[in-house]
Amino acid sequence: MIIYTVQPGDSLASITRRFGVSPQRVIMDNALGSPNQLVVGQSLLLLTPAVSYTVKSGDTLSSIAQRFGLTAVSLLQNNPQLIAAPLLRPGQEIVVHFTAGKRRKIAVNGYAYDFIDRTILRRALPYLTYLTVFGYGFTSDGDLISPNDLPLISMARDYSTLPVMLLSSLTVEGNFNGGIASRLFRESALQKKVMDNVLKAIEQKGYIGLDMDFEYISGTDQEYFMEFLSYAAGRLRKQGYSLHVDLAPKFSDGQKGLLYESHDYQAVGEIADSVLLMTYEWGYTYGPPMAIAPFNQVQRVAKYATSVVPSKKIMLGLPNYGYDWILPYERGITRATAIGNQYAIEIAQRVGTDIQFDPNAQSPWFEYRRDGLGHVVWFEDVRSMEQKFNLVDELTLHGVGYWNLMRPFQQNWSFLAARYVIEKKG
């Protein structure tokens, strides 16, 4: 496996000749919409098959997988073209293994809203251990506010991906509400009603566990929050379900701020079966332009987390998105536009600008002008993802969690397939 940065004068033909890789494979793994118009500074994932198989008449994905001691889903991971077109043709080449070899097994979680484009979701599911549907809220009476999750659960099961229910303090309007969360943490009757309904939904819909995502919780609620998590964990485990908790990105025990004070890493780590470090949103919608998940900051959070939580319980949060800011940035006025990582490349292509790479943030970015206005874009690519996965391996974390799956990122999925055995339990 090679990660190559496009240089001036490069073309797809010259790169593939130099490294002896298939142009069609490079186009597919990097989702190159205009393969004859590469961007200087763009990163490309170059994969070389070690073992391939030529499809014969009567072959099926399952029969080929059985021949090599694999699963049909693992063949989909190696051959993403089959996800959209699973019917095999005699003479078709199927990649069985890549030359890179697998480093180790990891768990992969992805979050999705119920309105996700089904084609985008289908292309991600083969690479996921878990699909977490965002999300359930609750009313002051303890009734659940439910997404339209059944279609997503059904699709997840088609790819041996386990569905996880998510509970947060979401209102009907889709906003976090610290007040109703505080009531839940402090009122045992409301807790019982909510958890009764949660367990009923888990059983009826086939979820395998619960993800707790409570954000913007007052520090005065920390003790009550921990007590609620303990209560919920006990009830879930009694029924054979797991508890996963999302944590704001802290650097130390006593970190101040509404996002951080109620999230006691050590206490949550003792209660929960697993945790997600929400290591993204340094660059955010109303903030100044910067990397969404700068590596130097992500590293600080992950190293602190492993000092107080067992690494086997930790999943590192990864952003599947970027932001486009209008310049000059004005606090309280400038609002960045969220974009997909693949779309960021398309913008650079369209405006004819080079992509830069920040050595501290280990993240790509570029500037351009449109309609007389300056813009700056920060996003993720396979280089920035590789650095985060190196950290996951260095700290032997359990895996990663993507916020979120709403935008395509094939380069990332192909990287995962080549480097890891992805846990599949469904």
Side-chain angles (χ1 to χ4, degrees), residues 180-419:
I180 195 169
S182 182
R183 277 197 58 195
L184 177 67
F185 304 154
R186 292 168 181 261
E187 297 181 13
S188 57
L190 182 57
Q191 290 180 18
K192 183 179 185 306
K193 180 72 178 295
V194 168
M195 286 307 300
D196 284 347
N197 287 328
V198 164
L199 288 165
K200 186 182 300 182
I202 288 176
E203 181 179 4
Q204 289 178 345
K205 298 190 176 185
Y207 283 116
I208 59 96
L210 182 67
D211 183 320
M212 293 276 198
D213 182 23
F214 284 94
E215 303 178 33
Y216 303 101
I217 304 303
S218 170
T220 59
D221 281 326
Q222 184 194 85
E223 182 180 344
Y224 298 101
F225 181 31
M226 296 305 111
E227 290 175 354
F228 170 64
L229 290 180
S230 293
Y231 167 73
R235 292 203 59 186
L236 287 161
R237 290 187 187 121
K238 188 176 180 180
Q239 301 297 321
Y241 304 124
S242 59
L243 174 65
H244 178 87
V245 179
D246 302 333
L247 294 172
K250 294 175 66 169
F251 305 131
S252 63
D253 293 341
Q255 191 165 335
K256 299 299 182 183
L258 185 60
L259 273 174
Y260 314 108
E261 292 178 14
S262 66
H263 287 193
D264 183 330
Y265 272 37
Q266 184 168 350
V268 173
E270 291 171 355
I271 296 167
D273 297 294
S274 60
V275 301
L276 174 79
L277 308 180
M278 294 188 284
T279 36
Y280 37 78
E281 285 290 275
W282 274 272
Y284 62 100
T285 305
Y286 295 101
M290 64 182 297
I292 287 77
F295 180 74
N296 51 342
Q297 303 286 36
V298 171
Q299 185 179 48
R300 288 179 67 195
V301 175
K303 290 196 170 182
Y304 162 64
T306 54
S307 73
V308 291
V309 179
S311 60
K312 65 182 180 181
K313 287 190 173 187
I314 298 174
M315 302 185 80
L316 189 73
L318 300 176
N320 179 27
Y321 61 97
Y323 281 118
D324 183 335
W325 286 267
I326 292 177
L327 299 175
Y329 169 77
E330 296 182 62
R331 185 173 295 278
I333 297 175
T334 301
R335 185 183 190 279
T337 300
I339 60 173
N341 295 315
Q342 290 181 188
Y343 184 63
I345 301 290
E346 292 176 20
I347 294 175
Q349 221 171 33
R350 191 165 58 244
V351 301
T353 192
D354 294 354
I355 294 171
Q356 313 298 320
F357 195 77
D358 185 277
N360 293 317
Q362 289 289 307
S363 297
W365 64 279
F366 61 87
E367 292 185 347
Y368 71 99
R369 295 191 67 81
R370 184 175 64 200
D371 299 329
L373 297 173
H375 288 250
V376 61
V377 173
W378 286 86
F379 64 107
E380 300 286 333
D381 64 10
V382 71
R383 287 172 297 180
S384 62
M385 286 296 183
E386 182 187 35
Q387 294 307 310
K388 296 175 181 68
F389 277 102
N390 287 343
L391 182 63
V392 169
D393 293 341
E394 174 192 341
L395 300 176
T396 60
L397 304 185
H398 181 48
V400 298
Y402 287 89
W403 181 261
N404 52 51
L405 302 176
M406 306 302 285
R407 300 172 178 88
F409 196 9
Q410 184 57 52
Q411 189 181 68
N412 164 82
W413 302 131
S414 292
F415 172 86
L416 260 181
R419 181 157 166 168

Side-chain angles (χ1 to χ4, degrees), residues 112-125 152 155 404-408:
Y113 291 97
D114 59 3
F115 53 86
I116 186 172
D117 180 284
R118 299 303 194 256
T119 299
I120 293 174
L121 177 59
R122 191 175 301 281
R123 290 189 174 276
L125 283 171
L152 274 64
M155 285 183 66
N404 52 51
L405 302 176
M406 306 302 285
R407 300 172 178 88

Side-chain angles (χ1 to χ4, degrees), residues 65-94:
Q66 188 175 17
R67 176 190 293 261
F68 291 97
L70 301 173
T71 64
V73 171
S74 67
L75 290 180
L76 290 178
Q77 294 167 1
N78 292 344
N79 301 275
Q81 75 278 10
L82 297 178
I83 299 172
L87 294 178
L88 301 179
R89 304 184 311 275
Q92 188 174 8
E93 289 292 316
I94 303 296

